[in-house]
Amino acid sequence: MADLKQRIDEATGTSTVGHEWDGIEELDTPMPRWWLWTFYATIVWGLAYVVLYPAWPMVDSATKGVLGWSSRGDLAKEMAADAKRRAPTVNAIAATAITDLPAEPELMQAAVQGGGAAFRVHCVQCHGAGGAGVKNLYPSLTDDDWLWGGDLATIEYTVTHGIRNPDHKATRTSLMPAFGRDGILEAAQIGDVVSFVRTISRQEKASASSVRGAALFADNCAVCHGAGGEGGRQVGAPKLTDAIWLYGGDRDSLTATITQPRNGVMPRWGGRLDPVTIKMLAAYVYSLGGGEKGLAPVAEGAGADGQP
Amino acid sequence: MASPEDLSGQPAPLYEARKGVYPKAVNGPFRRFKWAIMAVTLVIYYGTPWIRWDRGPYAPDQAVLVDLANRRFYMFQIEIWPHEFYYVAGLLIMAGIGLFLVTSAVGRAWCGYACPQTVWTDLFQHVDRLIDGDRNAQVRLANGPWTAEKLAKRVIKYGIYLAIAFWTGGAWIMYFADAPTLTADFWTGQAALVAYGTVAVLTATTFILGGFMREQVCVYMCPWPRIQTAMMDEKSLLVTYKDWRGEPRGSVKKAQAHPGGFGDCIDCNQCVAVCPTGIDIREGPQIGCITCALCIDACDRAMAQVGRPRGLIDYCTLDDAATEKAGGTGQPIRKTLLRPRTLIYFGVWTAIGAAMLFSLGERTRLDLAVQHERSPLFVQLSDGHIRNNYTLKLRNMETRPRRVAVSVSGLPGAVLWTDSGSREKAGQRIELALPADSVTSVKLFVAAPAIGPARQDFTIGTRGLDGDPRGDSDIIQFDRPEAGQ
Ligand code: SF4
Ligand code: SF4
């Protein structure tokens, strides 16, 4: 325990604080006066703060403060300011036909970004965060195969009106018959059709079965899927000659599909989202990598933001 | 417990007003050196932003510019991007080691000559002498009644303080924007609010710290004196009063009356009068001493007047002090400066500097960063190929637009295209136009046959097509579905 004996230090004439550690003593040097005033100023500042701003916790909320400031109010202000800041871009997108967007790289860029945000809110539940879809359930939006068409205007239409919405006239709709369940085709016949489909998609070699299947296909399937299985976009009939299969391209999957098709649905976003958001969503989906070109390409180097 | 009153007879004050320091003008080699340092540092500080440096049409033509908005730092021919911040870190490390070096060699030289607080305090003290006169006149004026003359002098003096402070704050913001434009904007009310705010804050701090608080900043507020003490050793040079030579002190008259009874100090108090921090060096080394050496100048003059050798107060190491006290002679100054410790600091300091210069010379101004799109990892295309998506960040750090080629290697059969081209036009190499001094974000699609390992590393590289052909490359993964998927 330190020996609390204060004394005057001869060298400086200042009293010591009275503590001593290993022979080292501390001088009780006075603080400079500006320090004292700074200290008073912090007290005044603290009091003023308590009066002006919410500070004192009460039972169910804090004191309001005479300035009426709140972080919620700040947020509302920032949101309003942000909406105002975005207004020119949003209005410009609204005023531009979706097919004209690619000609305006900056607008397109803005639309893709806005669409990405909307996609993460409304679409990821089915199509996945990156738009890759879910096998056997929801189509991938990132590949180069489109059931209903992959250009901007078509995507916009699909998003607006949805697919197989029972109570909406303009919705995209078509129904693949349940050939098996409804007894249109025998199980053996379905097997032949499967053989044929797997032949035209180059997964199997031609066989007796596939030759029988070709005739059945021409009678039952070609009207939607096309004579060669090239698909029919008016009715969302998938192309059967490529490597992309929403519900699987192996024998079992194909048999299941023909026996009892899924006829997937998608809600319509028209009426739930405003047209600008839908337009931006379409632009985003288009940009995912599978968007069909044939339209003016986005200028090279778009996306340069001058920022690291 | 005894209260301080019991001991000293009067209450010890807890707080105390600043004691005025009225340093006397002095002349001598150290004072002249201090003038020179002051002139150089002030000219550098006030003048640097006005140096122009032509970098072509796509970059600012201010030689030294911290462009916060665009996150660039320009220093003459060197342009630093945020991801090259290690150069700034390197400079800071060099500054740190430089301080070790200087402090271990010559003690608190930074405090005495180059510290902004010292420089501006010195400047303001000179203003005091200009308006109020030298030490005695200043003391008289400070203690005297408020006459019209005193009022006028105070108004003029504080006016000059304020002008210097404002100029100081104004010079600071010039480093962050084009100086001539900013000056014009500033005076026409067009500059950013933060510019006015910064000038206001710096004017206030300069006015208060330089004009009024002065040595109090060094003694009470600044951490350096404490840190520097830890960097010094017995071989560092300190301003030392050689008490073994000077004591007992006595005036010339007394010394004549008692020959041999007194040391060299004639107790003229000049060393105290000239000290800008108001301390008495004859009390030994103390935290208030910034080693400005003005007391050396003053004492050397006094010694010359009475015909005694100079150096009663002098730069001296603790080791030398002990030797001299014992009757020996100290080390030559060269040995004090060049010893293992300072040489090691110097070696490290130069090594870092050389490494930075070397890497500055070697760095490419075309930088690539590739990010693999992970959601989804891969996409099956209708022709059976597998496509992976990447985001390329291409930094064109040259101040001119460039054309560059992007190509892949190590991935057989791969083709690439960007979201601005279509797959029909895909190839093994694409060309891109990059705007000057910018980062371009490009979505890159790479398609390769489905047959191959599920995970395969390959290289995406860039190459300049004009001028500097050097580029950058990144090794990145290509994903395929596992077999049977
Ligand atoms: S004691 Fe001497 S060296 Fe130290 S601050 Fe005062 S004048 Fe400068
Ligand atoms: S200036 Fe030199 S001689 Fe005069 S009081 Fe100081 S130490 Fe003594």
Side-chain angles (χ1 to χ4, degrees), chain A residues 4-8 11 15 17 28-36 39-40 128-132 135 140 142-145 202 239 241-244 287-290 293 297-308, chain B residues 1-4 7-8 12-18 69-72 81-82 213 216 220-221 375-376 379-384 387 389 393 395 403 418-423 431-433 435 437-441 443 445:
Chain A
L4 288 180
K5 217 165 74 221
Q6 283 170 300
R7 56 178 197 84
I8 303 289
S15 65
V17 294
D28 195 7
T29 312
M31 299 293 290
R33 199 172 54 188
W34 58 262
W35 192 95
L36 179 72
F39 178 58
Y40 289 156
K135 203 162 172 66
S140 165
T142 60
D143 58 28
D144 56 348
D145 191 24
R202 296 189 302 274
K239 197 171 177 180
T241 55
D242 63 19
I244 294 174
S287 80
L288 282 176
K293 310 291 167 173
V298 182
E300 231 168 56
D305 53 4
Q307 300 289 330
Chain B
M1 177 179 138
S3 71
L7 294 159
S8 60
L14 285 176
Y15 301 96
E16 105 189 321
R18 172 176 183 261
N70 299 310
R71 285 179 274 178
R72 299 280 184 279
W81 283 48
M213 296 184 68
Q216 298 236 320
Y220 292 103
M221 294 167 74
S375 159
V379 176
Q380 168 130 45
L381 297 179
S382 50
D383 65 357
R387 192 191 74 213
N389 296 358
K393 277 217 188 296
R395 295 195 184 95
R403 285 199 71 76
T418 68
D419 58 353
S420 55
S422 67
R423 194 178 166 204
E431 288 185 13
L432 294 172
D437 194 59
S438 63
V439 183
T440 306
S441 202
K443 223 167 155 181
F445 302 129

